[in-house]
């Protein structure tokens, strides 16, 4: 019976090609616009580091140590702490759950060679890089003795190891990072967060994450002239400078915590509140620290990492799709209204209301199938246009097979939806009217 209904639908549309073209184009454009915007939205709102982003939280507080009469207000959360403050926070409890980080941009090269490369890496406070998803594939991380002695050790990613040392044999070799020479003790898989959640103040216009190609302990790095990309927020008498280790009076390092459950978040909030209170009472902080913990997602929202127009565009295209569906419903109503006598005659010849309803739904569903098929190349074109733009997150936007499946199913569903009201209306036609 369904095959017969499909045959009837095809014959009907062949007699009304202009109506078919209007219905299909209306749906195809609406579906393609909505799908393109949805792909962009979900590409940028996916986990920055798969599997752990929801566990990552950044510490924010007003860590100024001197009064600033011209700027006494703490009007927005700030994630930078002074190095001594960050060390004290790690000593206050749960050190295995915390990691201090600051981005550094340095020339790196194999020690004693001329070739070099400008690359981004992290200056690290703490001994657990795995907290942020750094996955060691060779060697080890640094030990507490190496941290205490400020040993010049470093971790590098697989790409750097391959480029300068030919692969895993980089372990045990020396690498020059900036002005310092470090011994490679471990190699980790290439680490590139999907979106930039670390050090957003040093990356104010970036959306896509930056590959961090080396990790060096903070004390060893500063002792050998490897500093953060800039000196962060400094007291008025200190100038903000770039690639410096003269960081007295500056707040420049973030502390991130990996908290796997609401209970751990609660414990850490208590620890943070106690730390801030003691710091204020001891005079370490000149103002009420107002400590606060942000998840990585909330922190990106707070700092507008994902452009606001991405969500706005998605909302607008959903509205456009709804308008397209409403227009399609109106055209289907008009189409079935012109054919009400045909349906009435079928009722007179013995067709039940159920058969008439199913036939109408099949006709509208066929529109959804054709509209969905045409929307796919339009969606691919829309995504290609996005990827052609000179924006850092363009490579993140792509159409995956699962999304193609969802578009196809959604198109069929939309086709069925637009036919429900017209199908119900046509079922109400009295057979007697057709006989007359």
């Amino acid at each position: 019976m369904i095959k017969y209904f499909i045959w009837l639908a095809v014959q009907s549309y062949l007699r009304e090609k202009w109506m078919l073209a209007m219905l299909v184009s209306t749906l195809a454009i609406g579906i393609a616009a909505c799908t393109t915007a949805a792909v962009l939205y979900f590409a940028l709102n996916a986990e920055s580091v798969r599997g752990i982003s929801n566990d990552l939280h950044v510490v924010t507080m007003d860590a100024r140590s001197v009064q600033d009469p011209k700027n006494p207000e703490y009007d927005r959360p700030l994630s930078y702490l002074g190095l001594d403050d960050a060390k004290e926070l790690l000593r206050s409890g749960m050190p295995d759950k915390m990691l201090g980080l600051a981005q550094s941009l340095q020339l790196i090269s194999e020690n004693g060679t001329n070739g070099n490369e400008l690359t981004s890496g992290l200056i690290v406070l703490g001994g657990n890089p795995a907290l942020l998803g750094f996955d060691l594939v060779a060697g080890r991380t640094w030990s507490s003795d190496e941290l205490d002695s400020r040993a010049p050790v470093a971790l590098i990613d697989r790409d750097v190891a391959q480029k300068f040392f030919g692969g895993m044999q980089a372990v045990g070799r020396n690498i020059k990072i900036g002005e310092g020479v470090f011994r490679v003790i471990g190699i980790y898989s290439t680490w590139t967060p999907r979106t930039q959640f670390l050090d957003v103040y040093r990356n104010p216009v970036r959306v896509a994450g930056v590959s961090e190609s080396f990790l060096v302990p903070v004390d060893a790095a500063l002792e050998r002239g490897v500093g953060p990309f800039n000196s962060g927020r400094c007291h008025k008498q200190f100038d903000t400078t770039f690639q410096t280790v003269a960081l007295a009076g500056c707040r420049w390092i973030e502390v991130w915590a990996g908290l796997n459950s609401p209970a751990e978040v609660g414990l850490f909030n208590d620890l943070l509140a106690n730390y801030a209170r003691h710091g204020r009472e001891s005079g370490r902080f000149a103002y009420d620290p107002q400590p606060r913990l942000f998840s990585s997602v909330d922190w990106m929202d707070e700092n507008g990492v994902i452009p606001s127009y991405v969500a706005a565009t998605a909302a607008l295209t959903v509205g456009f799709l709804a308008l397209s569906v409403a227009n399609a419903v109106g055209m289907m109503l008009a189409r079935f209204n012109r054919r009400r006598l045909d349906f009435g005659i079928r009722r007179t010849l013995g067709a039940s209301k159920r058969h008439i309803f199913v036939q109408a739904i099949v006709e509208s569903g066929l529109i959804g199938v054709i509209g969905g098929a045409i929307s796919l190349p339009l969606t691919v074109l829309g995504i290609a246009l996005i990827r052609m733009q000179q924006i850092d997150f363009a490579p993140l936007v792509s159409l995956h097979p699962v999304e193609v499946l969802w578009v196809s199913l959604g198109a069929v569903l939309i086709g069925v939806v637009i036919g429900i009201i017209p199908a119900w209306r046509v079922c109400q036609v009295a057979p007697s009217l057709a006989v007359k």
Side-chain angles (χ1 to χ4, degrees):
M1 185 66 73
I2 294 297
K3 290 182 179 179
Y4 176 63
F5 289 154
I6 293 175
W7 182 84
L8 288 177
V10 170
Q11 296 303 311
S12 173
Y13 286 127
L14 289 177
R15 291 192 300 269
E16 299 176 334
K17 296 183 179 65
W18 63 272
M19 178 65 77
L20 175 65
M22 290 178 62
L23 282 167
V24 167
S25 61
T26 297
L27 282 184
I29 294 173
I31 293 171
C34 189
T35 303
T36 302
V39 168
L40 173 61
Y41 178 84
F42 288 112
L44 297 185
N45 284 275
E47 283 190 288
S48 292
V49 182
R50 182 171 296 180
I52 64 172
S53 285
N54 293 331
D55 298 334
L56 296 177
H57 298 73
V58 66
V59 172
T60 69
M61 66 174 64
D62 185 356
R64 288 177 290 180
S65 58
V66 297
Q67 295 279 343
D68 186 358
K70 293 186 178 180
N71 184 29
E73 299 298 327
Y74 178 65
D75 54 359
R76 58 172 298 185
L78 182 68
S79 60
Y80 283 164
L81 303 179
L83 180 57
D84 290 339
D85 297 332
K87 288 181 176 180
E88 186 64 29
L89 178 57
L90 264 68
R91 283 193 292 265
S92 65
M94 302 175 71
D96 291 339
K97 293 289 184 178
M98 286 187 277
L99 207 62
L101 300 164
Q103 197 174 55
S104 181
L105 192 65
Q106 302 289 340
L107 282 172
I108 63 174
S109 63
E110 183 182 358
N111 189 33
T113 64
N114 295 323
N116 57 49
E117 179 178 297
L118 184 65
T119 189
S120 179
L122 295 174
I123 298 172
V124 181
L125 171 64
N128 186 18
L131 197 70
L132 264 74
F134 289 97
D135 180 26
L136 282 179
V137 294
R140 59 177 178 83
T141 188
W142 41 75
S143 66
S144 57
D145 289 339
E146 288 170 328
L147 292 179
D148 293 339
S149 64
R150 303 187 176 189
V153 294
L155 306 179
I156 59 175
D157 73 3
R158 191 194 300 265
D159 293 340
V160 171
Q162 183 64 40
K163 178 171 184 176
F164 291 106
F165 303 102
M168 298 300 120
Q169 57 267 37
V171 176
R173 305 277 291 277
N174 289 339
I175 187 169
K176 187 174 182 181
I177 301 175
E179 297 302 318
V181 176
F182 297 81
R183 180 168 55 89
V184 177
I185 61 170
I187 301 171
Y188 56 90
S189 298
T190 302
W191 189 87
T192 307
R194 191 173 187 83
T195 43
Q196 188 65 35
F197 68 98
L198 290 178
D199 232 340
V200 294
Y201 299 119
R202 293 189 176 101
N203 299 274
V205 296
R206 286 201 65 87
V207 177
V210 178
S211 294
E212 306 297 356
S213 299
F214 64 85
L215 306 177
V216 288
V218 60
D219 290 322
L222 297 180
E223 193 171 86
R224 289 159 182 81
V226 178
F229 176 64
N230 63 48
S231 55
R233 303 296 177 88
C234 300
H235 303 326
K236 193 176 178 77
Q237 61 266 37
F238 297 98
D239 293 329
T240 298
T241 53
F242 295 87
Q243 301 298 120
T244 182
V245 294
L247 298 166
C250 296
R251 292 164 290 148
W252 57 276
I253 191 166
E254 292 182 328
V255 173
W256 284 83
L259 307 171
N260 304 323
S261 67
E264 285 191 350
V265 172
L267 287 174
F268 193 89
N269 272 317
D270 292 341
L271 180 151
L272 187 59
N274 290 332
Y275 167 79
R277 185 178 66 255
H278 291 317
R280 179 67 172 136
E281 291 172 352
S282 66
R284 176 187 291 274
F285 302 130
Y287 297 95
D288 177 10
Q290 303 178 51
R292 189 175 173 187
L293 198 62
F294 283 86
S295 69
S296 61
V297 174
D298 291 339
W299 187 236
M300 288 192 293
D301 289 342
E302 176 73 20
N303 290 277
V305 172
I306 308 300
S308 58
Y309 65 77
V310 172
T313 300
L316 286 173
T317 55
V318 169
F320 180 68
L321 178 59
L323 181 61
S324 300
V325 170
N327 286 336
V329 170
M331 285 189 282
M332 291 297 288
L333 279 170
R335 182 171 180 274
F336 284 161
N337 188 55
R338 289 199 309 273
R339 296 175 56 210
R340 66 185 185 280
L341 296 183
D342 295 341
F343 288 110
I345 290 173
R346 288 200 63 215
R347 288 290 314 283
T348 302
L349 295 176
S352 65
K353 283 186 177 182
R354 183 172 66 85
H355 284 161
I356 298 299
F357 184 84
V358 172
Q359 179 187 344
I361 290 296
V362 168
E363 289 193 20
S364 64
L366 186 60
I367 292 295
V369 170
I370 299 173
I374 296 176
S375 73
L376 287 174
L378 293 178
T379 300
V380 171
L381 176 61
I383 291 174
L385 290 174
I386 292 175
R387 291 176 64 90
M388 290 169 59
Q389 304 304 307
Q390 297 299 313
I391 45 181
D392 67 335
F393 59 82
L396 301 177
V397 185
S398 59
L399 188 64
H400 300 287
V402 174
E403 292 163 340
V404 172
L405 176 61
W406 280 112
V407 170
S408 303
L409 293 177
V412 174
L413 179 61
I414 289 172
V416 171
V417 168
I418 66 173
I420 290 176
I421 295 177
W424 179 82
R425 289 281 299 275
V426 81
C427 286
Q428 310 309 311
V429 175
S432 57
L433 293 178
V435 173
K436 289 181 180 180

